[in-house]
Amino acid sequence: MKHQDGEAWCRKHLADQELYQLLEKVDLDLAEAARWAGCRHCGGKVHRADYERKPRGGPHWDQRFSFCCAQEGCRRRCTPASVRFLGRRVYAAVVVVLVSAMVHGLSADRVRWLREWLGIDGRTLGRWRHWWLETFRRSRFWKAARARFLPPVEERTLPWSLCLRFVTERRDRLLDLLGFLAPLCGPVVGPVS
Ligand SMILES: [Zn+2]
């Protein structure tokens, strides 16, 4: 795929309201599964205990689905995986992935567009880039997961190279990519800012 096509693909998904609705549904399913599974520590019942998130850029999601164990003496928090929120990032996962993928060969034009449309500045982009190239690349998750890609994913151009493995016109392929990354986004134990 040519880079320009890839960029168009990214922009299209970033503006896709139906995609955001779909992601919310997937997260609801993940939450429902977590509720049925119960507490991972003691097997007890869990209660809904969502916490507030205010991701910037993209849809106005403000609740991260989460649960608390109802068992006296345990009471631990259990936060299911999410296709909407990427770890502790304040931007929606889809925005972090697509925007980070777009920034290879960053032009002044593109930076201006990102700043005006999504309110993402150069410093934030730099932090995301660092996260992909250092934190993500060295994560246990990626070390285990990269083996399933053949030929291997070019790590110096993450996450663009990873997107390429999922890029097609079909929306559900993007969903596959976010689903692939979802274990990074939970379960989270303890309070999360
Ligand atoms: Zn428990």
Side-chain angles (χ1 to χ4, degrees), residues 39 42 69 74:
C39 176
C42 73
C69 179
C74 180

Side-chain angles (χ1 to χ4, degrees), residues 34 79 84 117:
T79 301
R84 294 183 302 158
W117 197 47

Side-chain angles (χ1 to χ4, degrees), residues 69-85:
C69 179
Q71 196 66 41
E72 203 66 58
C74 180
R75 302 271 184 201
R76 274 188 260 201
R77 180 177 279 281
C78 162
T79 301
S82 168
V83 294
R84 294 183 302 158
F85 301 105

Side-chain angles (χ1 to χ4, degrees), residues 111-131:
V111 173
R112 199 177 321 116
W113 178 77
L114 290 170
R115 185 173 301 148
E116 283 169 10
W117 197 47
L118 295 171
I120 301 169
D121 60 21
R123 245 185 48 204
T124 303
L125 288 175
R127 276 205 312 271
W128 289 358
R129 190 158 170 68
H130 181 82
W131 183 82

Side-chain angles (χ1 to χ4, degrees), residues 26-157:
V26 172
D27 266 15
L28 271 171
D29 287 346
L30 290 170
E32 194 55 19
R35 194 170 69 81
W36 277 103
C39 176
R40 277 175 300 120
H41 304 283
C42 73
K45 269 193 165 184
V46 291
H47 290 310
R48 192 80 174 257
D50 296 346
Y51 54 83
E52 289 223 341
R53 288 291 304 266
K54 296 240 179 284
R56 300 195 290 252
H60 296 284
W61 290 319
D62 53 10
Q63 296 278 307
R64 171 85 197 253
F65 301 137
S66 188
F67 299 92
C68 252
C69 179
Q71 196 66 41
E72 203 66 58
C74 180
R75 302 271 184 201
R76 274 188 260 201
R77 180 177 279 281
C78 162
T79 301
S82 168
V83 294
R84 294 183 302 158
F85 301 105
L86 190 61
R88 293 165 186 237
R89 252 120 269 281
V90 293
Y91 285 86
V94 64
V95 175
V96 176
V97 174
L98 293 178
V99 169
S100 300
M102 274 173 66
V103 298
H104 288 289
L106 199 63
S107 66
D109 206 33
R110 207 176 298 158
V111 173
R112 199 177 321 116
W113 178 77
L114 290 170
R115 185 173 301 148
E116 283 169 10
W117 197 47
L118 295 171
I120 301 169
D121 60 21
R123 245 185 48 204
T124 303
L125 288 175
R127 276 205 312 271
W128 289 358
R129 190 158 170 68
H130 181 82
W131 183 82
W132 285 106
L133 296 183
E134 299 297 328
T135 312
F136 177 79
R137 197 157 78 140
R138 294 216 199 103
S139 67
R140 246 189 303 163
F141 167 80
W142 177 240
K143 281 180 177 162
R146 67 184 168 196
R148 58 173 113 148
F149 295 97
L150 270 174
V153 171
E154 172 55 75
E155 294 186 333
R156 282 171 308 171
T157 55

